[in-house]
Amino acid sequence: MNDANSLWGSRFEGGPSASLAALSRSVHFDWRLAKYDIAGTRAHIKALMSAGYLTSLEHEKLDRSLVELANRVENGSFVAKQSDEDVHSALERGLIEIAGPELGGKVRAGRSRNDQIATLIRIYLLDQSEVLHRLVIDLIEVILTRSEEHLGVAMPGRTHFQHAQPILLSHHLLAHAWPLVRDLERLQDFKKRASLSPYGAGALAGNTLGLDPNLVAAELGLQGPTQNSIDATASRDVVAEFLFITTLMSINLSRFSEEIIIWASAEFDYIKLHDSFSTGSSIMPQKKNPDIAELARGKSGRLIGNLTGLLATLKGLPLAYNRDLQEDKEPVFDSIDQLTLLLPAFTGMVATMQFNRNRLEMLAPLGFSLATDVAEWLVKKKVPFRDAHEITGKLVSWCEQHMLDLHEVADADMAAISPMLTPDVRDVLSVGGSIKARTGAGATALPRVLDQITALRKIAPKRNA
């Protein structure tokens, strides 16, 4: 940071201490923003030319130099030095090496690292939102395919993790697709707020050079400039919002993972995981472990930490810019890295796991899961639901005492429990009948499941379609 490429220090008699330089250095993590920094500089020099601070020839030479710098960054022939404080100073050094100090030295006019970084993080996150969108679409498509493969397969539906009512396996799988759809909607809505450019805000108060912020925004593919220069440089709510979305994605994956881990156990035996998406034990030869699901569950805690850490950093910052804001990048970079690593593996796990249809359908009626159907059958017989609930509860209690299931109770015993329990109650004492009867919007009957698949296919069409 004592090198000539340092962006500050002229009023200081000596350079920073080694410990301060080490603490201040961010280029080891913000280097991933290099291509966005160069894109911002290309837009900025166009604004400088438009305002008369660069001739067309100077602009042309600088733009060629920036393209060359971008190529060198991409192929690895230009990298940051230990002495570079951040991505901005490193790239200015690179530009001066190509364009020369006189012409390269003109670029910094009218901008600050404050408005630079506030813009770069936005366009970076906009790009990453597209990456995550594609990966989530892949997972939704796989969930849809697995649902279509198992149409009509019944399974136990649970509340409080106890048997509740029989449902279709497809219905249950689709319940994991819809939260992911909402995650995509959040990413789309995020773009409205992220697509504004802080360029031109300067350190906090704007600039006096008459540079056109609309021109810069347009060059960067953004909708326009931010409305307040102080807010533009001092706020990171856009980053926090993106972290919230990624955190919620990880939580949605974690909930699905929890079920997959349980389903793969010998006690449940709902699924078998494919060998290529499982691991073994270093000591127990028989083990097949659901590591992808466990890592997904574990990483959700990591992403929650990234979000809460940033929120804690932001909560007490006075306006305008504070160096604390440097702490916004590592959490969001890490959350993106974890999700882009996790999602393909998770999608592969779901695509290849095998469902034990016989086991699922055998367990579907257990735990008196058809009791609600009995109560609703009584309601259809004009019995008040309060009474229907009590009658059905007595029937369940009688079954427990006699170790029978609902359909095994004799007609005479049903009549003894309540004269309202006539023999035709047996019409609803089947898993198929229970599922078929649930035809309300979003319910588990097959036609409603097919409605969901149709709606979701518009969002995640088949790969070969």
Side-chain angles (χ1 to χ4, degrees), residues 220-404:
L220 294 174
L222 301 176
Q223 298 301 309
T226 48
Q227 301 90 341
N228 183 290
S229 62
I230 297 176
D231 175 57
T233 60
S235 296
R236 291 296 186 272
D237 53 333
V238 166
V239 181
E241 182 180 2
F242 191 88
L243 268 176
F244 169 76
I245 296 169
T246 57
T247 301
L248 203 51
M249 282 182 185
S250 74
I251 289 171
N252 290 330
L253 295 179
S254 181
R255 294 187 71 194
F256 198 177
S257 295
E258 177 73 9
E259 292 191 330
I260 289 170
I261 292 163
I262 293 166
W263 290 354
S265 67
E267 290 78 8
F268 272 69
D269 193 26
Y270 285 8
I271 61 171
K272 281 188 169 44
L273 297 175
H274 195 275
D275 286 356
S276 60
F277 290 93
S278 308
T279 65
S281 165
S282 61
I283 190 172
M284 295 171 284
Q286 83 282 7
K287 292 296 294 298
K288 181 187 278 191
N289 297 326
D291 279 22
I292 292 173
E294 291 173 350
L295 287 167
R297 187 174 60 181
K299 286 183 184 297
S300 67
R302 178 171 177 166
L303 269 68
I304 290 168
N306 288 339
L307 172 62
T308 55
L310 178 60
L311 293 176
T313 297
L314 298 178
K315 72 176 181 62
L317 296 184
L319 297 175
Y321 181 84
N322 297 274
R323 191 64 182 273
D324 312 50
L325 294 177
Q326 180 173 300
E327 295 299 309
D328 68 334
K329 283 172 281 300
E330 287 179 287
V332 78
F333 292 165
D334 181 65
S335 291
I336 291 167
D337 290 346
Q338 298 311 312
L339 277 180
T340 54
L341 184 66
L342 172 62
L343 277 164
F346 194 96
T347 299
M349 174 183 63
V350 175
T352 57
M353 63 190 186
Q354 295 180 332
F355 290 92
N356 187 343
R357 175 173 184 160
N358 292 336
R359 174 75 171 166
L360 289 165
E361 295 197 324
M362 183 268 289
L363 293 174
L366 299 188
F368 306 108
S369 66
L370 299 173
T372 304
D373 295 272
V374 175
E376 291 179 346
W377 177 85
L378 288 167
V379 169
K380 292 174 184 176
K381 299 294 184 181
K382 309 303 181 184
V383 177
F385 184 76
R386 182 183 182 88
D387 296 336
H389 191 286
E390 185 173 347
I391 291 168
T392 307
K394 289 179 179 177
L395 173 61
V396 169
S397 179
W398 193 94
C399 287
E400 288 179 325
Q401 292 170 21
H402 294 82
M403 301 182 67
L404 296 174

Side-chain angles (χ1 to χ4, degrees), residues 12-240:
F12 291 82
E13 294 184 1
S17 66
S19 58
L20 172 56
L23 178 62
S24 294
R25 191 171 186 265
S26 63
V27 74
H28 54 290
F29 60 79
D30 64 19
W31 185 247
R32 73 170 68 193
L33 298 175
K35 75 172 186 177
Y36 301 99
D37 190 287
I38 293 171
T41 300
R42 293 184 71 188
H44 179 65
I45 63 171
K46 193 167 185 178
L48 285 172
M49 180 185 68
S50 179
Y53 297 101
L54 292 174
T55 67
S56 59
L57 289 176
E58 287 175 325
H59 171 265
E60 184 179 345
K61 182 176 179 181
L62 278 171
D63 197 57
R64 283 199 312 268
S65 299
L66 286 165
V67 171
E68 172 60 23
L69 179 59
N71 291 334
R72 293 182 186 183
V73 169
E74 186 175 3
N75 65 32
S77 60
F78 180 82
V79 295
K81 291 181 177 181
Q82 184 69 28
S83 58
D84 291 320
E85 183 178 11
D86 53 31
V87 65
H88 317 297
S89 57
L91 291 174
E92 183 167 302
R93 172 175 60 81
L95 178 59
I96 288 173
E97 288 175 6
I98 298 170
E102 183 176 352
L103 186 55
K106 292 185 176 184
V107 171
R108 207 191 310 169
R111 73 176 183 183
S112 163
R113 287 187 296 181
N114 296 1
D115 59 348
Q116 270 186 275
I117 193 59
T119 306
L120 305 189
I121 194 65
R122 287 168 178 251
I123 56 178
Y124 168 79
L125 293 179
L126 288 168
D127 269 7
Q128 295 306 308
S129 70
E130 294 300 321
V131 173
L132 291 175
H133 185 277
R134 290 192 296 271
L135 292 174
V136 172
I137 284 287
D138 287 345
L139 177 54
I140 294 171
E141 195 275 334
V142 163
I143 293 172
L144 278 169
T145 298
R146 303 317 308 272
S147 299
E148 291 169 327
E149 291 170 351
H150 296 85
L151 292 173
V153 176
M155 70 174 292
R158 297 173 183 272
T159 62
H160 306 276
F161 208 58
Q162 307 296 310
H163 281 243
Q165 293 175 313
I167 57 173
L168 290 180
L169 171 60
S170 299
H171 188 55
H172 189 105
L173 291 173
L174 295 175
H176 286 295
W178 288 109
L180 296 171
V181 170
R182 293 192 293 275
D183 289 334
L184 297 182
E185 291 171 347
R186 291 182 188 98
L187 280 176
Q188 191 63 32
D189 195 57
F190 158 82
K191 294 177 184 177
K192 299 176 187 176
R193 288 169 289 283
S195 295
L196 294 177
S197 171
Y199 246 105
L204 78 160
N207 68 78
T208 64
L209 301 183
L211 305 183
D212 184 359
N214 288 289
L215 184 156
V216 175
E219 288 291 310
L220 294 174
L222 301 176
Q223 298 301 309
T226 48
Q227 301 90 341
N228 183 290
S229 62
I230 297 176
D231 175 57
T233 60
S235 296
R236 291 296 186 272
D237 53 333
V238 166
V239 181

